[in-house]
Amino acid sequence: MTTSPIQDECNCFALRQAARYVTQLYERHMASLNLTAAQFSILSKLNRLPGSTMLELADSMVMDRTTLVRALKPLQRDGLIITEASEKDARTFVFSLSDSGKTKLEAAYIAWKAAQNEFENGFGQDRAKALRTELFSVSAA
């Protein structure tokens, strides 16, 4: 007989539950901008890395391409992201923020900061910083 993992001991369950909780908090703040937390992350990443290919963007965000495509489509539809053929390979597309995307990101930073403050006020600023450090080290491994 195989025993199943006990939820209190399951790292995956604990991380996914915490991720859902934190995502809901951030999305509540982003709702008035019609952005999801993932879309905000994409806009932020493209602001730092304009001209990213799908593969580069997916790798940098540790997302599978199918999930990334689903998150990109509304951003493209709303004119927040520019999609162009790569100069190196016409079959490859690169993504950058449009002027509207930059404006949306500026507004979203205000909502992000409010979410960040709410989380840190409840969890503790030092604990939040330590948690981020640990979580980034997991995905960097």
Side-chain angles (χ1 to χ4, degrees):
M1 180 173 152
T2 305
T3 59
S4 61
I6 299 170
Q7 286 183 352
D8 291 346
E9 296 175 5
C10 181
N11 298 316
C12 183
F13 177 78
L15 282 167
R16 290 178 63 86
Q17 180 174 303
R20 285 188 296 272
Y21 172 81
V22 173
T23 298
Q24 289 170 4
L25 184 153
Y26 280 75
E27 289 191 347
R28 183 169 29 88
H29 286 273
M30 297 282 169
S32 66
L33 297 163
N34 294 318
L35 284 178
T36 66
Q39 290 168 335
F40 171 76
S41 297
I42 291 167
L43 293 176
S44 294
K45 187 64 79 169
L46 287 175
N47 190 51
R48 287 190 306 277
L49 301 170
S52 294
T53 66
M54 179 72 71
L55 183 58
E56 290 167 341
L57 192 55
D59 285 349
S60 71
M61 298 189 69
V62 191
M63 290 177 84
D64 65 77
R65 284 184 272 179
T66 302
T67 303
L68 180 58
V69 167
R70 279 195 304 269
L72 280 172
K73 284 188 184 223
L75 299 172
Q76 291 170 307
R77 178 198 66 221
D78 295 344
L80 303 177
I81 292 178
I82 299 168
T83 307
E84 301 173 306
S86 169
E87 292 178 8
K88 298 173 188 169
D89 180 355
R91 297 170 298 171
T92 301
F93 293 103
V94 294
F95 303 92
S96 300
L97 292 182
S98 67
D99 289 340
S100 297
K102 291 174 186 174
T103 300
K104 178 73 98 170
L105 183 59
E106 286 180 28
Y109 274 132
I110 295 167
W112 171 83
K113 187 63 177 164
Q116 190 84 350
N117 288 339
E118 182 179 334
F119 179 78
E120 289 184 353
N121 287 339
F123 191 70
Q125 210 167 19
D126 291 339
R127 287 177 69 202
K129 184 177 181 181
L131 177 63
R132 277 192 310 275
T133 300
E134 289 299 319
L135 291 173
F136 281 132
S137 73
V138 168
S139 61

